[in-house]
Amino acid sequence: MPIQTISTTPFADQKPGTSGLRKRTSVFMTPNYVENFVQSIFDSLEGFKGKTLVIGGDGRYHNDVAIQAIIRIASANGFGKAMVGQGGLLSTPGASHVIRHYKAFGGLILSASHNPGGPGGDFGIKYNVGNGGPAPEKITDAVFARTKTIDRYLLRDAPDVDLGTIGMHRSGEMVVEVIDPVADYAALMQTLFDFPAIANLFANGFTMRFDAMHAITGPYAHRILEDMLGAPKGTVVNGIPSPDFGGGHPDPNLVYCKPLHDLMMGPDAPDFGAASDGDGDRNLIIGRKRFVTPSDSLALLAANAPLAPGYANGLAGIARSMPTSAAADRVAETLGIEMHETPTGWKFFGNLLDAGRVTICGEESAGTGSSHVREKDGLWAVLLWLNILAARQQGVDEIVRDHWAIYGRNYYTRHDYDEVDAGIANKLMDDLRAQLPQIANTAYDSLKVAYADDFTYHDPIDGSVSGKQGIRIGFADGSRIVIRLSGTGTVGATLRLYLERYEPAHGQHDLDTQQALSFLISLADRIAGIRERTGRDAPSVIT
Ligand code: G1P
Ligand code: ZN
């Protein structure tokens, strides 16, 4: 089957963001759009001839079409083998594991994560390297440069591969192995967690609801929670992946998981509630009458991880993204282990994990994970919680309160302003940046500013420097205001405002979060003029 050289012209907008290239599905459906980007990735890589490429996605609309195109391009470019999840499906952490487990050269993950899918939704492509993690900026910068000059792509003239049938297929000379998307991942989970103890929990009447949000974790959760751990059928809801996520928004937050939240706060709440996002890397954890913020969840998981067999020897260190609350820092301090603050985006954890400097990582955006893969991992967080619940024989609320009593509570919220005019958002950030030296020397009522800067990360492993990662205004009492622009939005700009206040051990831990942070919320607006400049009188989403 011959290789065709197809001429093309560059698209100006193929700059990978926080997590690969994300655009409206309609943009990805433009002729040559997928082909240009994928060929640009391959043109930026070296040494993959004859090697293995892992391919899979969250099953959203256009997944199937894009995968067939990618297989033809990979074959024409000389990959020896493609490993593809059956039906084109692989969760993001599942893909990361497959890359690592089979020592693949890298992988392409097709998803726009928690963004809606369908013809009017979003689509995305992300390249992960051989350690299973997102490509570092060195590669994504090279890919972007290539997209601006590309004039041809290579295509194998071969028929579609039958992705419905597990086993060996071919596209030209390239072998295409269709694999069970769940099996390897489930086996990995069994090495980390005490499955008999969790199964025992369910056998003794422990109840749970897992909302797969019509997205990729459905098959994983059915298999692991219901088939392997014995949770009653019906524990997993919305468990069949659909191309438009059942018309929903597969973002496991309190807005889009309102039915789960309402259930957990109501009289018929099960013991434990959880959800995951479009591609399976995020998690939402809710106990009976207790929502656990992702920042608290990170701290709690780190403090209790040694209860799970895979972490019985303790943690090397913890890492969190800069806007994530400092709750985990207090755990690291108590344990006497390393703590790292990195820019937003999972790719910044890769070097620390590879070097064995940290074991658990997390982001405020519902992302938690560990050294078992190089992506955040929604079901992993759920299973670690279950392992902790089984070992401690306590409820979620009790465990959370105990944690605050020991470490103190970091009240924390994020306010998002979506689809703001990009010019206005950039000007807001520029003006704020210009004010930072002045802000650094100010006190607002009784709050004295301790530092005001635009976060720059110095990677301790490879020495790389990433600047302009978000504006931080820190106060003497440990409170913080952080403002940054999203790198994953697909329309206009998304302004994210993060607010945090520390209440020490045995302090007041029962305040309403928005009330506890009300002074900081109005102060942030006073300093940055968000409402006046954007013309919005409230955030689009509060988490
Ligand atoms: C968002 C989250 C970030 C996460 C990323 C990918 O990025 O804030 O923590 O890593 O999605 O899931 P942002 O849109 O803020 O750039
Ligand atoms: Zn995701």
Side-chain angles (χ1 to χ4, degrees), residues 22 92 111 113-114 277-282 376:
R22 274 194 206 159
T92 292
S111 169
S113 187
H114 49 288
D277 71 330
D279 62 330
D281 57 358
R282 295 187 176 205
K376 57 191 178 239

